[in-house]
Amino acid sequence: MIRRASLVVIGALMGATAMGVIYSAGVPAEAASGSTYKELSVFGDVFERVRAQYVTPPQEDKLIEAAINGMLASLDPHSSYMNAKDAQDMRTQTKGEFGGLGIEVTMDKDQIKVGSTIENTPADKAGVKAGDFITAIDGAPVKGLKLEDAVLKMRGEVKTPIKLTLQRTGVDKPIELTIVRDIIPVAAVRSHVENDVGYIRILQFTEKTTPDLEAAIQKIKQTVPADKLKGYVLDLRLNPGGLLDQAINVCDDVLERGEVVSTRGRNPDETRRYNAGPGDLTDGKPIIVLINGGSASASEIVAGALQDLRRATILGTRSFGKGSVQTIIPLGENGALRLTTALYYTPSGRSIQGTGITPDIKVDEPLPDDLKGKMVTEGESTLRGHIKGQSETDEGSGSEAYVPPEVKDDVQLNYALDLLRGVKKDPAFPPNPDKAVVAK
């Protein structure tokens, strides 16, 4: 197994859009033409007119930010400007941990309700319980506050205190707790054993994904004897992406060799290829990867690599189809620029931009009655201004993105379990690594 790739790669985890490379240094650019500078002077004139004569005094920083975003939005849906706060939020998401309390909250009839607490976190130790209603934060009532605003108030610097006022069913008086924030890890991987099958779900690709995955595989191997373990289900449904190096490392964990992915930029010398080395942590056990319309970017890299190299069978519905890479360029205290700089290609040399990953075995997930007619099927190909893929057709990319909360209702998962146990048969399972499809 190769040790972790030295590249520093990141995705902003915004919905189903996000992969990119972080460079701390600037990239040389060709000088703009004289006509370009004339156009920039026009922009300066317009800015001065708006600043000086608009009916109400505008916020100058907001004007400039809007102008920058307008320029980037004209390129593609994934290029954007992140102000200092947005850039910090992105770093927090990709790191997979934050300073906070360790509670999951929801809205319940305009009230903020504790859905659950994370074990051994400050909130858990202080006695916060699922079902509690948060009525005040640091003495300020939260009624009418948006959920995301309440979450921001509860997050903060590690070792700083916060006072919560709680209303608990069966308790007459409000409960006041002072809690000291600590580092809260966000799970990147969830796993369990389905009798004789190891189930691993990757929620997103953060800095914690690889160690979490390796720990999950180890725990499954300790729980089920090797001669009883039928294989693994790797669930990438609803996974919007994240760090590219983590996608590479996930593939490396279950491959013995082969190219995982290549990225190709504007110039031929910008092409980068990433390969797996010896060391399959699953000991060659069969793998079925689940995907749907919510599987994007890094999850498509994993699915595409394991499909081309015939290491896994891909089951489900067509993925989102985001095959571009965004470079995150820090701008100091002014935030960061998120710019599309390359497309990525699977080992066979295919770009999934605007087409997505087509599963080896197509299995639809039925929608419950209350969702029928309400879910909109989206994919990269439906995004306005997206980069048209080299193989994109009118069929486009994406599919419905729904996963039932209960295993018993999960048609795709149960189909995979039946294949691994031999209850169902399909020519695509098990795949034959000797028939890997790679670029010549």
Side-chain angles (χ1 to χ4, degrees), residues 56 69 173 228 283 308 310 418:
T56 57
N69 273 318
K173 295 181 179 180
K228 303 294 184 183
D283 302 319
D308 281 358
R310 299 294 189 260
D418 284 347

Side-chain angles (χ1 to χ4, degrees), residues 268-295:
D269 60 0
E270 294 173 348
T271 298
R272 300 288 183 270
R273 298 183 184 278
Y274 304 99
N275 299 293
D280 178 358
L281 297 185
T282 65
D283 302 319
K285 291 287 186 180
I287 299 174
I288 295 179
V289 176
L290 302 182
I291 62 171
N292 63 11
S295 306

Side-chain angles (χ1 to χ4, degrees), residues 136-156:
I137 300 174
D138 285 332
V142 298
K143 187 175 182 180
L145 201 64
K146 292 181 179 178
L147 183 63
E148 55 266 33
D149 292 334
V151 169
L152 286 175
K153 283 179 175 290
M154 287 185 281
R155 289 186 179 183

Side-chain angles (χ1 to χ4, degrees), residues 84-221:
K85 179 183 176 301
D86 292 338
Q88 180 57 43
D89 288 346
M90 181 201 68
R91 286 189 288 270
T92 298
Q93 283 183 296
T94 55
K95 192 172 183 180
E97 61 184 29
F98 59 89
L101 307 179
I103 57 175
E104 295 179 352
V105 293
T106 60
M107 290 299 290
D108 186 345
K109 298 178 181 178
D110 297 325
Q111 292 182 292
I112 296 172
K113 182 180 181 180
V114 177
S116 63
T117 60
I118 302 173
E119 189 176 0
N120 292 323
T121 58
D124 179 48
K125 294 175 182 177
V128 179
K129 298 184 181 299
D132 288 348
F133 287 92
I134 300 173
T135 58
I137 300 174
D138 285 332
V142 298
K143 187 175 182 180
L145 201 64
K146 292 181 179 178
L147 183 63
E148 55 266 33
D149 292 334
V151 169
L152 286 175
K153 283 179 175 290
M154 287 185 281
R155 289 186 179 183
E157 294 293 327
V158 173
K159 303 305 179 186
T160 58
I162 182 174
K163 187 169 76 172
L164 296 185
T165 304
L166 308 174
Q167 187 67 52
R168 182 174 297 165
T169 302
V171 179
D172 295 334
K173 295 181 179 180
I175 299 170
E176 292 190 353
L177 299 174
T178 298
I179 307 173
V180 178
R181 297 178 178 92
D182 203 347
I183 294 175
I184 307 301
V186 180
V189 174
R190 292 177 182 168
S191 65
H192 64 268
V193 170
E194 286 289 334
N195 296 319
D196 52 1
V197 174
Y199 171 84
I200 300 172
R201 182 173 185 179
I202 300 180
L203 303 172
Q204 57 188 20
F205 290 86
T206 70
E207 292 177 14
K208 294 185 175 296
T209 299
T210 301
D212 284 1
L213 172 67
E214 293 173 356
I217 293 174
Q218 186 63 26
K219 185 176 180 180
I220 289 168
K221 290 166 70 172

